[in-house]
Amino acid sequence: MELRQSLNVLSNIPLGDIIITISLSLSSLSLSLPPLSLSLSPPPSPPMPSSSWPSQLSLWRFSRPTNLSLLSLCATLLLLLLLSTPLSLSLHPFLSPSLPTLATLVLVLFARVLFRRHDPLPPTDSPAAHLSFQRFLLSRCPALSRPYKPSLWFRSGRLQTVLAQTAHKVGAGFMPQLRKQTIRVPSGGTVALSWFVAVEEEEEEPELIVIGLPGAGSCFTHHGLVPTLLCHLHQRYARRNGSVSHAEGGPARDRAEEAGGVQGEGFRRRLVCAIATYQGLAGLPLESPKLPGSAYCSTDDMGALLRAARAHYPHAHIVVLAASFGTALFTNWAARFPDEAEALGVRGAILLGFGHSVRDAVAASDAIVQSSAFVIRTWLRCLHQGGGIHTLHALEETCPGFRLSDLLSARTLREWDAAAAPAYGFRSTDELYSASDVQPILGQVRVPLLFVNADDDPLCPTARLRGSTYRRPHFARVATRFGGHLGWLESLSKPSGPASHCPWAARVVEEVIVSIPEWRGASEPERPRAGAHEKDAPCGVQEEVAHHSPTFVRC
C-alpha cells in the first residue's frame, strides 16, 4: 500500500523535474572530482596549502585545461532549454520541466560560474613562488590594475607624440644637481653618466641603480620622458638622513600599501639615478667614427656604461629604464653579451616604446616626415655645438666612401643611415640594419624585460610585439590603447611635480623598478607553442599563462 502511494506521488512529478534533479546531482558530484586536462601540457605544479594564503572569489575566466564538470553543466542546461521549447511541449508535454525548477537551475548555474573559487597567486616570499615575470608584476604592482584613461583631447597618437616633445621637460624647480662622469670607450670616443645628486649625500652604498637611456630625439638630461621619470624616482627615493626624500608614509607608499602591492622595506629602498649620454650628443665631443644613427645600436657603448656604474657602486642592483632608441641600444647589447649582463648585476629593464625592429621603426619615422626631420635637426645641432662636425671632416679624408655632404643633406633617417654606414664599416644600409636590429636575437636576452607600448603609437605600435619571441617567462608586455610615442600625457596644467603630467607612467615605472630586484625567476623553461593565438588580458587580471607564454596586459 505504501509503495503504491509512493508511485502515485512520483507519477505526478514531471519527468523534467526528475531529469533536473539527477543532472544536478551528477554535476555536483563531478565538481568534487579533479578536473581532467585535455591539453598536452604537463600538469601544473601543486598549489600551496590553503592556509598559507586566503582563498578568494574571482570572476569567470577561461583556462586551457577544460573541466569536464563544466561541460556537463553546459550540456544539461542546453538539454533542458531544448525540452522547454514550444515544440517539445507539443511533442512531449510530460517531459516539460516546471518553470520554477528551470529558473532555480539557471540561478544555480550562474552562481557556480560567477563565484567559482580560484586560488590567487602565492605571495612572492613563498618558497614555491616561481612565477613568470608578468604574473609577478601583476601581483606586486597595483598600477598595472589601473587603466590609462586620458582626456578626450589626448586620445590621438600623433597629437600625443607631438606634445610629448615639449611636455616632457623637467622644470628648474624639480631638476636636481647632476654630477657628470665621462667614460672612455674602446672605439676611442666618450660617453657619460650624469648622476642625480641628493641634497645630502650618504656614504652608504645604494641598493638600486637606475640607468636611463633616452630616445634619439630626447638626448638631453632635462628633456624627454626618461629624464622626467628619473627625476620623479629621485624625488621619491633619494634619502635624507636615512629616510626617503618625502615624508615617511608619503602618497606613493600609502597608495601601494592600500592596494596590497610593494610595501615595507622593499618600498623604502634607497635608489640612485643616472642618465646616459651617447657619443657626440648633449655636449659630448665626437671623438670616434661612432656618430649618431641607427648603426650606433651595434656598438658596445652600453657595456661601458654598465661597467662604469658597477665600478661606482660594486654591490647595488642595476635596472635600466630605456625609451625608443635607448631600448634598441640596450637589447642589442644584452642579446650579444647575456653573460656579461648577468655578471654586472643587471636585474631587468623597462622598455618604453620598443620598436621591435630598427628597420621597421626607421620606416615608420620616415613615413612621418616631420618626425625624422626633428631627430636629424637634433643630431646636427649637437654635432655643431660639440665640435663633431670637425671630426666628421677629418673622417671624410680617412674613411673611404663617407661623404659629409650626404649626411648634411639627409632628409630621412634612411638617408642618414646610408650616409653614416661607411663610417661604421658597413657596405650598405641592409648590412647596417642587420647588425643593428635586435629582432632576430632578442630571444638571447636573459634579463627580465618589461615592454610598455601604446596601440596608437605611430612609430612603435603594440601590434609589432607579437609572436613566440615575446612569449618567454622573463618577458612581460603592457599595452595601452592611447599614449602615442612616449607620451602617456594626462594633463598640461601647471606641474606640481616632475611627472605630474603623466602620473600613470610614473606610477608604473616606480612600482616596477622597486619590484624587479625581488623577482627570482620562473621555475620552468620556455616552451613556446607553435601557432598559438594570443589574446589580450584585461588590465590587472592575473590570467592563466600556459607554458609561461604571457599575453598583453591591457591598461
Side-chain angles (χ1 to χ4, degrees):
M1 186 66 181
E2 294 179 356
L3 178 61
R4 180 175 301 179
Q5 291 178 353
S6 301
L7 291 176
N8 290 334
V9 173
L10 290 176
S11 63
N12 294 327
I13 301 176
L15 185 57
D17 289 353
I18 298 177
I19 294 176
I20 291 174
T21 304
I22 297 175
S23 300
L24 283 176
S25 301
L26 293 176
S27 300
S28 301
L29 178 62
S30 63
L31 283 175
S32 64
L33 298 177
L36 176 62
S37 175
L38 300 183
S39 66
L40 298 180
S41 60
S45 57
M48 294 285 292
S50 57
S51 59
S52 60
W53 72 88
S55 299
Q56 66 179 13
L57 299 178
S58 61
L59 294 180
W60 166 261
R61 63 184 180 186
F62 285 103
S63 59
R64 302 189 190 278
T66 306
N67 197 323
L68 288 185
S69 63
L70 173 64
L71 294 180
S72 65
L73 287 175
C74 294
T76 302
L77 178 60
L78 182 61
L79 175 63
L80 293 176
L81 291 178
L82 179 63
L83 293 176
S84 62
T85 58
L87 179 61
S88 64
L89 284 174
S90 61
L91 295 179
H92 306 286
F94 61 95
L95 291 177
S96 173
S98 60
L99 184 60
T101 306
L102 184 61
T104 303
L105 173 65
V106 173
L107 289 177
V108 170
L109 291 178
F110 180 77
R112 284 189 176 274
V113 167
L114 184 62
F115 300 109
R116 210 159 48 100
R117 282 187 176 271
H118 289 290
D119 287 328
L121 292 175
T124 55
D125 57 355
S126 169
H130 295 288
L131 308 177
S132 70
F133 186 50
Q134 179 157 306
R135 297 187 72 188
F136 168 78
L137 293 181
L138 287 172
S139 67
R140 297 303 303 271
C141 303
L144 293 178
S145 64
R146 300 186 176 112
Y148 168 66
K149 294 183 178 179
S151 303
L152 292 177
W153 46 86
F154 284 140
R155 299 194 175 188
S156 168
R158 293 204 176 191
L159 179 61
Q160 284 241 20
T161 302
V162 173
L163 292 178
Q165 305 300 326
T166 56
H168 295 313
K169 187 174 182 180
V170 183
F174 304 111
M175 191 67 194
Q177 181 183 353
L178 299 178
R179 183 179 66 250
K180 179 173 289 189
Q181 176 188 3
T182 57
I183 305 156
R184 300 292 293 185
V185 294
S187 63
T190 302
V191 294
L193 282 175
S194 297
W195 295 92
F196 287 40
V197 180
V199 176
E200 297 180 9
E201 286 288 351
E202 293 183 349
E203 296 181 358
E204 177 189 358
E205 183 174 341
E207 300 177 33
L208 189 62
I209 305 171
V210 182
I211 297 181
L213 304 178
S218 303
C219 48
F220 304 100
T221 56
H222 63 284
H223 186 252
L225 181 58
V226 169
T228 297
L229 296 175
L230 289 182
C231 287
H232 171 78
L233 291 172
H234 177 79
Q235 190 180 70
R236 293 287 191 190
Y237 296 101
R239 287 189 176 183
R240 297 179 182 175
N241 296 328
S243 61
V244 292
S245 58
H246 287 306
E248 287 193 17
R253 185 183 178 191
D254 291 343
R255 182 173 60 250
E257 288 183 350
E258 290 173 3
V262 185
Q263 49 184 296
E265 290 302 319
F267 209 76
R268 292 166 50 83
R269 185 185 310 278
R270 189 193 174 204
L271 175 151
V272 294
C273 302
I275 186 167
T277 305
Y278 313 132
Q279 293 191 46
L281 299 177
L284 284 183
L286 181 64
E287 301 172 332
S288 76
K290 309 302 183 183
L291 66 154
S294 301
Y296 190 75
C297 297
S298 64
T299 65
D300 299 337
D301 289 3
M302 186 71 240
L305 292 167
L306 294 174
R307 286 190 290 271
R310 170 57 60 229
H312 201 64
Y313 296 109
H315 306 292
H317 300 302
I318 297 178
V319 176
V320 174
L321 174 63
S324 190
F325 179 83
T327 65
L329 178 66
F330 172 75
T331 53
N332 189 295
W333 176 86
R336 289 184 289 117
F337 303 99
D339 294 332
E340 185 177 6
E342 292 182 338
L344 290 174
V346 180
R347 298 303 302 270
I350 302 177
L351 308 179
L352 307 173
F354 180 71
H356 173 72
S357 166
V358 172
R359 193 189 306 266
D360 293 343
V362 168
S365 181
D366 289 344
I368 308 173
V369 179
Q370 294 182 351
S371 176
S372 296
F374 170 78
V375 174
I376 292 175
R377 286 196 305 268
T378 302
W379 287 345
L380 289 176
R381 184 170 68 251
C382 291
L383 290 174
H384 280 288
Q385 293 175 352
I389 295 296
H390 301 294
T391 303
L392 296 179
H393 275 296
L395 183 63
E396 194 172 18
E397 300 177 358
T398 59
C399 180
F402 176 76
R403 298 176 58 184
L404 181 58
S405 59
D406 293 343
L407 194 71
L408 298 178
S409 62
R411 293 295 178 265
T412 64
L413 289 180
R414 187 173 182 86
E415 293 177 359
W416 177 282
D417 291 336
Y424 282 85
F426 299 119
R427 292 170 293 182
S428 65
T429 52
D430 289 336
E431 185 179 349
L432 182 153
Y433 290 141
S434 297
S436 306
D437 207 335
V438 70
Q439 191 271 333
I441 59 175
L442 183 62
Q444 300 177 18
V445 179
R446 294 206 293 262
V447 299
L449 303 178
L450 171 64
F451 303 89
V452 184
N453 285 63
D455 293 344
D456 62 353
D457 188 335
L459 304 181
C460 306
T462 305
R464 293 186 194 157
L465 309 187
R466 296 185 182 274
S468 59
T469 301
Y470 297 94
R471 293 197 298 269
R472 300 176 184 274
H474 56 294
F475 286 3
R477 289 170 291 172
V478 173
T480 60
R481 183 179 178 185
F482 308 103
H485 186 63
L486 306 182
W488 293 294
L489 303 173
E490 298 183 44
S491 172
L492 293 179
S493 59
K494 185 177 180 180
S496 58
S500 59
H501 59 285
C502 55
W504 179 86
R507 284 195 298 266
V508 169
V509 168
E510 175 183 343
E511 294 177 2
V512 170
I513 280 182
V514 297
S515 301
I516 281 180
E518 300 176 11
W519 185 66
R520 298 193 299 273
S523 59
E524 296 182 13
E526 173 214 11
R527 292 186 296 273
R529 299 182 308 135
H533 177 67
E534 294 184 346
K535 294 183 179 180
D536 294 339
C539 178
V541 174
Q542 300 172 353
E543 77 281 8
E544 293 293 336
V545 184
H547 299 159
H548 291 296
S549 303
T551 59
F552 283 96
V553 176
R554 305 295 306 186
C555 291

